[in-house]
Structure formats: structure tokens, C-alpha cells
């Protein structure tokens, strides 16, 4: 009976009705989500130009869409970092704001803290790309702290190794010494080759015949790609077509720079990599993949809290 008497009181009715109206208002008229985007036309044009500079061709619609999605995610992470006020507790941001303020000759005579507060009031942190990148990085680290990627297992490492065996195959390697003839001395190369053969000169003795060559005269255990960085692709093609055999002289062999007489010290045949040789690389690749997946999983609920305008 006492409970019924409480329910009959008018103020109880007002409390219940107010609670219901508050719930209905929240359910039917929720707070608007923060807006991220759209990407400006100028920024979109800059993204397209960067793609063209890197690839030599314009991006497809799908590639452009991925770039826009990536930029919207960056903006979202930056906005979330600002909402959490992470920029107020970061030493990199602190120093960057002071640097920008002093660069503009503002805040003279003020203490460092006063300069920092002035930079915040001028909203320097909103338009600085370095600060934006820093805040995105901090936000990603925070997401990974809440959703840490699992460490690769030995089974995953072994499977990755087996699946990428052909990709990880070790290229052949060559240990060579050479005598170089620049453009002004190319005509001497054939006679020098004959002298080396007749006198049975070693590579060290034959070096006296060489023009100066800045990269050096002895190259040990070099892959074709590494040799190409020193001599150019033409040299590597000519060297391999000459069937290099240890203990023999080859040439003259043309390179980007001139002619070379090449002494082959050693040839290591191409072979499959061993797991211990590539384990560190595979570990990094798997960790990077797991980190990317964990970040993407963390972004899904975060995106739902924002309205993304493309």
C-alpha cells in the first residue's frame, strides 16, 4: 500500500515522464556525428599528381578512391587525437609550436610556457603537417595498445618461408676485379688484354694499366643488381653473356662508363635461401602485416563515430 501511495504522487509521474521523453529524444534525435571531409579539389589534384610522378600514369578510379579513403582516415585520426587532447601532452608538438611561433617573430619577451599557450590560441597546431603526422602516429600507437597485434608464431614463419621460397631465392654472386679504360683510352683496351695474357699478370699487377674508377677496382660477392648499381645494367648483361668462370680474364666489357677488363675471382651460383638467413625479414613482414590488420580492425568502430564525406 505504501508503494502505491508513492506512485500516486504527481511528482513521480513527472520524473517518469521526463525520463521517457529524455530517452525518446536521445533515440529519435541523436547528437550529430563529427564530420570528416570532404577532400578539397586542390588536395585531390595534389594526390593525383603525386601518383603520376611516382608511376608515370594517372590513377584509376579505384586507385583514386583508395587514396581518398586513406586521406579521410588520416583526417579522422587527427581529429580524434585533438578530441582526446593528445596534442597538449606531446613533447614533439610542444617544440614544434614554439619553433613556429619564433619563426614568425611572435612572443618576444614571453616565457616558453606563454609562447606555447599563444601558439595554441593562434591554432598553429591545426595547420602544421608535421604536427598532424605526429598526432596520427600517436593515435595509431594508442589504437595498437588497445588492440595489440599477435606476435608471429614459428608455424607462421615456416609457412611464410615455404610460400615465398621462390621470391627469397638467393641470386648468383660474383667476386671480380677490373681494369678500366675511360672514353679517351678505349683504343688501348685490346692491347692491354693481350699484354695481360702474354705476361700472365695478376689483377693487382694489371691495375697499373687502369684509368681511375671512383667506385673502386675490387668487388666481392656482389649480386647482378649490386653490380648494376656500380657499373650500369649494360655491364652486367655483357658480363653474364661472357659466361664468367673463376680464375679467368674477360673483356673488354662495355659499361656505362667505358671498357673494362674483368678478372673473375669467384662465382657463387643462385640457390634457395635458408630459413635462418631470412627469418628476421619474414618476422618483420609478418609483424607489419599483423599491425596493419590490427589498425584496420581498430578503425572500423572509430569510423562509425564520424560522418565521412567523400
Amino acid at each position: 500500500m505504501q508503494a502505491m501511495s508513492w506512485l500516486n504522487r504527481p511528482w513521480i509521474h513527472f520524473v517518469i515522464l521526463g525520463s521517457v521523453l529524455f530517452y525518446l529524444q536521445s533515440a529519435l534525435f541523436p547528437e550529430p556525428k563529427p564530420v570528416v571531409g570532404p577532400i578539397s579539389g586542390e588536395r585531390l589534384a595534389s594526390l593525383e599528381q603525386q601518383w603520376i610522378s611516382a608511376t608515370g600514369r594517372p590513377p584509376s578510379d579505384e586507385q583514386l578512391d583508395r587514396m581518398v579513403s586513406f586521406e579521410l582516415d588520416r583526417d579522422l585520426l587527427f581529429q580524434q587525437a585533438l578530441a582526446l587532447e593528445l596534442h597538449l601532452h606531446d613533447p614533439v608538438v610542444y617544440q614544434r609550436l614554439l619553433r613556429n611561433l619564433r619563426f614568425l617573430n611572435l612572443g618576444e619577451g614571453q616565457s616558453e610556457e606563454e609562447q606555447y599557450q599563444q601558439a595554441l590560441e593562434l591554432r598553429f597546431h591545426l595547420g602544421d603537417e608535421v604536427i598532424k603526422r605526429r598526432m596520427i602516429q600517436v593515435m595509431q600507437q594508442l589504437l595498437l595498445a588497445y588492440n595489440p597485434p599477435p606476435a608471429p608464431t614459428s608455424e607462421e614463419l615456416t609457412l611464410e618461408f615455404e610460400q615465398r621460397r621462390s621470391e627469397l631465392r638467393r641470386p648468383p654472386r660474383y667476386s671480380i676485379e677490373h681494369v678500366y679504360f675511360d672514353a679517351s683510352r678505349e683504343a688501348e683496351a685490346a692491347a692491354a688484354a693481350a699484354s695481360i695474357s702474354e705476361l700472365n699478370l695478376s689483377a693487382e699487377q694489371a691495375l697499373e694499366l687502369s684509368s681511375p674508377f671512383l667506385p673502386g677496382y675490387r668487388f666481392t660477392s656482389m649480386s647482378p643488381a649490386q653490380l648494376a648499381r656500380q657499373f650500369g645494367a649494360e655491364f652486367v648483361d655483357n658480363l653474364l653473356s661472357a659466361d664468367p668462370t673463376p680464375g679467368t680474364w674477360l673483356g673488354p666489357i662495355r659499361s656505362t662508363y667505358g671498357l673494362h677488363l674483368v678478372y673473375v675471382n669467384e662465382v657463387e651460383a643462385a640457390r634457395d635461401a635458408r630459413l635462418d638467413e631470412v627469418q628476421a625479414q619474414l618476422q618483420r613482414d609478418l609483424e607489419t602485416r599483423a599491425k596493419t590488420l590490427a589498425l584496420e580492425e581498430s578503425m572500423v568502430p572509430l569510423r562509425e563515430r564520424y560522418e565521412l564525406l567523400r
Side-chain angles (χ1 to χ4, degrees):
M1 294 296 294
Q2 188 175 3
M4 292 299 295
S5 64
W6 273 90
L7 291 175
N8 287 331
R9 297 187 179 186
W11 67 270
I12 290 290
H13 300 164
F14 281 110
V15 170
I16 295 174
L17 181 60
S19 300
V20 171
L21 290 176
F22 179 79
Y23 170 78
L24 290 175
Q25 183 182 22
S26 301
L28 299 176
F29 305 100
E31 287 291 325
K33 297 179 179 181
V35 176
V36 172
I39 303 297
S40 68
E42 181 181 356
R43 188 171 168 191
L44 190 60
S46 177
L47 291 173
E48 291 187 74
Q49 188 55 52
Q50 290 173 21
W51 179 275
I52 293 172
S53 298
T55 66
R57 62 180 185 279
S60 65
D61 291 341
E62 181 181 354
Q63 290 163 338
L64 188 59
D65 186 66
R66 284 201 298 267
M67 284 191 285
V68 170
S69 296
F70 178 78
E71 290 301 308
L72 286 174
D73 278 350
R74 292 183 76 249
D75 290 352
L76 184 157
L77 288 169
F78 182 51
Q79 191 160 324
Q80 182 67 14
L82 295 177
L84 296 175
E85 297 187 338
L86 299 180
H87 61 295
L88 300 180
H89 311 284
D90 189 87
V92 174
V93 174
Y94 183 86
Q95 293 299 329
R96 181 72 179 180
L97 288 175
L98 292 178
R99 174 187 176 280
N100 290 346
L101 191 76
R102 292 164 182 169
F103 179 78
L104 295 174
N105 294 320
L106 299 175
E108 292 185 11
Q110 296 179 343
S111 68
E112 192 171 271
E113 183 61 27
E114 289 171 334
Q115 291 177 340
Y116 170 66
Q117 292 299 329
Q118 183 179 358
L120 287 176
E121 291 170 5
L122 293 172
R123 303 168 72 85
F124 282 0
H125 56 291
L126 298 182
D128 189 287
E129 183 61 27
V130 173
I131 292 177
K132 181 177 181 178
R133 287 199 302 268
R134 172 64 177 178
M135 287 295 92
I136 291 170
Q137 181 186 49
V138 170
M139 195 64 217
Q140 288 175 332
Q141 292 172 346
L142 188 61
L143 291 176
L144 288 173
Y146 280 100
N147 183 29
T153 65
S154 57
E155 291 78 10
E156 289 173 327
L157 278 169
T158 301
L159 179 60
E160 185 79 1
F161 175 66
E162 293 298 332
Q163 291 176 339
R164 296 172 58 183
R165 186 179 289 274
S166 60
E167 172 198 335
L168 297 169
R169 185 172 169 78
R170 291 322 208 201
R173 293 187 175 274
Y174 303 90
S175 297
I176 64 172
E177 298 177 68
H178 73 112
V179 178
Y180 169 57
F181 300 89
D182 59 30
S184 65
R185 298 185 57 218
E186 285 187 4
E188 304 174 26
S195 296
I196 290 173
S197 177
E198 290 172 7
L199 300 175
N200 195 27
L201 298 180
S202 67
E204 184 177 356
Q205 292 169 328
L207 187 59
E208 297 180 3
L209 305 174
S210 180
S211 299
F213 190 72
L214 289 179
Y217 304 95
R218 177 177 297 172
F219 300 85
T220 303
S221 194
M222 304 284 282
S223 69
Q226 291 172 324
L227 287 174
R229 285 195 287 271
Q230 301 294 336
F231 296 92
E234 181 183 12
F235 173 86
V236 175
D237 291 340
N238 293 333
L239 175 66
L240 299 185
S241 64
D243 189 23
T245 304
T248 61
W249 281 95
L250 300 176
I253 293 178
R254 180 163 295 282
S255 76
T256 303
Y257 308 103
L259 292 177
H260 308 257
L261 300 176
V262 178
Y263 183 76
V264 183
N265 282 312
E266 187 178 356
V267 176
E268 303 171 42
R271 62 175 177 83
D272 287 339
R274 300 189 309 272
L275 177 57
D276 63 284
E277 291 178 312
V278 295
Q279 184 167 342
Q281 176 189 344
L282 296 178
Q283 180 95 13
R284 288 192 301 270
D285 292 347
L286 287 172
E287 288 174 351
T288 299
R289 195 181 306 163
K291 178 180 175 181
T292 300
L293 180 59
L295 277 175
E296 178 55 31
E297 291 173 349
S298 300
M299 287 297 297
V300 172
L302 191 57
R303 292 188 190 108
E304 294 176 354
R305 297 166 59 180
Y306 287 81
E307 183 179 358
L308 302 178
L309 302 180
R310 303 188 72 80

